[in-house]
Amino acid sequence: MKNKKNAIVHLVSFGILCAGFVLTRYIFFDIHGMKQLPLILFLCGIAVIGIAFLAKAKQVSVLTALAYIIGFTAGAIFQTDGVDAGGGRTNNLWIIWTVVFVCFIVAAVIMEIIAARKKKSNPET
C-alpha cells in the first residue's frame, strides 16, 4: 500500500510538471519567448522527480512540480527589461525562474532530510 501511495504522489507530481511545461512553453510563449529554457528546466524536473521516486521523497517530488510553475510566475511578475553595454535587449525572467526552481528543490531536499532524521530519532511517530 505504501509503494502504491508513493507511486501515485510521484505520478501526480509528474503530471503537474508536464502541465506546467505545456502551459509555459506553448501557451505563455508570448510572455517569455524562450524555447530552450522551459525544456531544460522540465528535463531537470523529470530527473529530480525520478530520483525522488527512488528515494521515496514525496515532498521533493511535489515541490519540484510546483517550483516549475511558481518560478515561472515569479519571473513573469518580477522581470525587468534592460539594455546591455552593446545596446542589446536583456530580460531577467529566465534568471528568476531558474533561481526559484533550484531554491525550491534544495529547500525540499533539506526538508526531507530533516524529516527523515526526526523520524529516525523518534521512531514511534
Side-chain angles (χ1 to χ4, degrees):
M1 183 66 176
K2 248 184 172 180
N3 286 337
K4 186 175 182 181
K5 185 177 179 184
N6 183 48
I8 290 171
V9 168
H10 294 287
L11 282 174
V12 169
S13 297
F14 178 69
I16 292 169
L17 181 66
C18 289
F21 172 71
V22 169
L23 286 171
T24 56
R25 172 60 182 88
Y26 299 104
I27 308 299
F28 300 131
F29 181 77
D30 291 337
I31 294 173
H32 58 79
M34 296 179 281
K35 293 181 180 180
Q36 192 173 14
L37 183 71
L39 179 62
I40 290 170
L41 293 179
F42 175 67
L43 294 175
C44 290
I46 290 173
V48 170
I49 290 174
I51 293 167
F53 174 72
L54 296 174
K56 297 180 180 168
K58 294 176 196 158
Q59 293 175 0
V60 173
S61 185
V62 171
L63 284 177
T64 297
L66 294 177
Y68 190 87
I69 298 166
I70 292 169
F72 174 76
T73 304
I77 291 170
F78 298 112
Q79 69 178 319
T80 56
D81 292 320
V83 179
D84 67 10
R89 291 181 29 183
T90 63
N91 184 292
N92 66 350
L93 183 147
W94 69 275
I95 297 169
I96 296 169
W97 187 2
T98 303
V99 168
V100 170
F101 185 67
V102 170
C103 287
F104 263 73
I105 293 170
V106 169
V109 169
I110 292 169
M111 287 172 27
E112 284 285 354
I113 291 169
I114 291 170
R117 286 186 180 170
K118 192 174 184 179
K119 187 176 181 180
K120 191 176 186 178
S121 69
N122 205 2
E124 66 271 353
T125 58

